[in-house]
Amino acid sequence: PGWNAVFLEVQPDVRAPATIFKDLPVESVWTWFDRASSVEFIRDPAEGLWAQPGWSVYATAPEKSAANNLYAIFANRAYLIKLGGRQNVTWTVTGSPATDKTIWTSDSFNLTGFHVNPANPANFNEFLSSSAAHTGQPVYRLSSQGKWELITTPAATTIKSGEAYWVYCDGASSFQSPVDVRILGSEIYYGTTSGINSVTLDNQSSTARSVTIKFLPSADWFTYQIFNTTTGYNEYPKLDTWTLQLSAGRQTNIWLAVRRELLTNGISKGILEVTDDVGSRYMIQVTVEKQAQ
């Protein structure tokens, strides 16, 4: 109950706030949309956001709903959610993983979150040290009392998956994580004739990184390309768990392929999970269409 700072990593199947929050005692939902100007955030959201420019809101109370201008909930965005009642509740969101990039407003605080691994959470100091625009800059976390508090020990404070923060951006930045993951489009898609796709892994840190790639759930039809130095040919083993080493400041392309003869459905789907030893995690949807007989 009270204020919650949420970073949504999944694109909901249904985007209307009235549907997404239907069974929750939500009083209001806020997000910051004005990227053209800097923002001075209010330390205590209870002091009021209604008169502050740049905010979009969805409110459930009839006397306040006339001001609603938040009509859809999107992935890779941060939200302030005011919850009523006296009991904790769980918000379950069904949809697809988000691949949109964070767009930073320069010389300003940004309300955002990070794609981190819940099983191996990163600390703020190591995670942000790859970016000059964020190294040593202030970060605020919403306390259990519903007030923004400065993180004073970033090296000892872990980033939580699904949590949003106020993060200062000093100058321009395109930073996403120590190891950035890039694809063409919003998912890895194989049409009826395409057989291979690439993913770019970019180690933006000053330290060598270990990157682990998995396909979920495990499927015999999803493979990766690897060069056999003995035979001189490319091989395509099943992708269960694949670990690569990336030198500091280097990037590489990995190639992922499908074995259509092993597909049983007209359309098959899965999730590509990319994690690193800093604590980043990216989830990418994979969709494959089987060739017509």
Side-chain angles (χ1 to χ4, degrees), residues 3 14 86 142 149 171-172 206 222 258 272 280 285 289:
W3 288 97
V14 179
R86 297 184 178 182
L142 194 65
E149 295 181 347
S206 58
F222 198 69
V258 294
L272 189 73
S280 306
Q285 180 165 298
E289 289 189 47

Side-chain angles (χ1 to χ4, degrees), residues 8-65:
L8 188 60
E9 297 183 56
V10 60
Q11 181 58 58
D13 291 333
V14 179
R15 301 179 182 181
T19 302
I20 292 176
F21 299 109
K22 178 180 178 181
D23 298 321
L24 301 179
V26 166
E27 295 180 1
S28 61
V29 181
W30 301 79
T31 192
W32 175 262
F33 267 118
D34 187 1
R35 299 190 183 276
S37 61
S38 61
V39 56
E40 292 294 334
F41 67 88
I42 299 175
R43 297 293 181 89
D44 185 353
E47 294 178 1
L49 299 174
W50 295 96
Q52 301 299 316
W55 288 95
S56 293
V57 61
Y58 165 75
T60 57
E63 66 273 15
K64 293 183 177 180
S65 61

Side-chain angles (χ1 to χ4, degrees), residues 166-185:
W166 281 112
V167 183
Y168 195 80
C169 181
D170 184 19
S173 175
S174 59
F175 175 78
Q176 304 299 316
S177 62
V179 177
D180 193 15
V181 181
R182 297 193 293 271
I183 63 172
L184 293 175

Side-chain angles (χ1 to χ4, degrees), residues 2 68 76 78 101 127 151 189 198 202 207 210 236 249 264 284:
N68 285 355
N76 210 48
K101 300 297 185 181
F127 192 89
I151 295 176
Y189 176 76
S198 67
D202 187 2
T207 305
S210 177
Y236 296 88
T264 57
I284 304 170

Side-chain angles (χ1 to χ4, degrees), residues 211-216 218 224 238-244 273:
V211 180
T212 300
I213 303 166
K214 295 182 179 180
F215 186 69
L216 309 171
S218 178
Y224 65 99
K238 172 186 174 182
L239 178 55
D240 281 327
T241 300
W242 180 22
T243 301
L244 304 87
E273 180 191 65

Side-chain angles (χ1 to χ4, degrees), residues 179-278:
V179 177
D180 193 15
V181 181
R182 297 193 293 271
I183 63 172
L184 293 175
S186 60
E187 65 175 335
I188 300 175
Y189 176 76
Y190 298 85
T192 56
T193 58
S194 58
I196 194 165
N197 274 306
S198 67
V199 176
T200 300
L201 306 176
D202 187 2
N203 181 6
Q204 301 182 348
S205 69
S206 58
T207 305
R209 296 298 178 196
S210 177
V211 180
T212 300
I213 303 166
K214 295 182 179 180
F215 186 69
L216 309 171
S218 178
D220 291 336
W221 51 263
F222 198 69
T223 70
Y224 65 99
Q225 177 180 288
I226 188 168
F227 182 73
N228 188 320
T229 56
T230 301
T231 64
Y233 292 97
N234 288 324
E235 296 181 348
Y236 296 88
K238 172 186 174 182
L239 178 55
D240 281 327
T241 300
W242 180 22
T243 301
L244 304 87
Q245 304 300 319
L246 278 182
S247 301
R250 299 296 297 274
Q251 70 177 38
T252 187
N253 287 336
I254 61 172
W255 297 90
L256 307 172
V258 294
R259 294 184 59 187
R260 296 184 182 279
E261 72 275 11
L262 299 179
L263 293 172
T264 57
N265 299 320
I267 296 180
S268 298
K269 294 187 177 184
I271 300 295
L272 189 73
E273 180 191 65
V274 183
T275 59
D276 61 33
D277 54 357
V278 187

Side-chain angles (χ1 to χ4, degrees), residues 118-153:
N120 178 35
N123 68 66
F124 282 94
N125 189 62
E126 187 173 24
F127 192 89
L128 296 176
S129 64
S130 304
S131 171
H134 305 290
T135 301
Q137 298 301 320
V139 178
Y140 284 80
R141 163 178 274 168
L142 194 65
S143 71
S144 57
Q145 288 74 40
K147 297 183 180 181
W148 292 104
E149 295 181 347
L150 178 67
I151 295 176
T152 57
T153 55

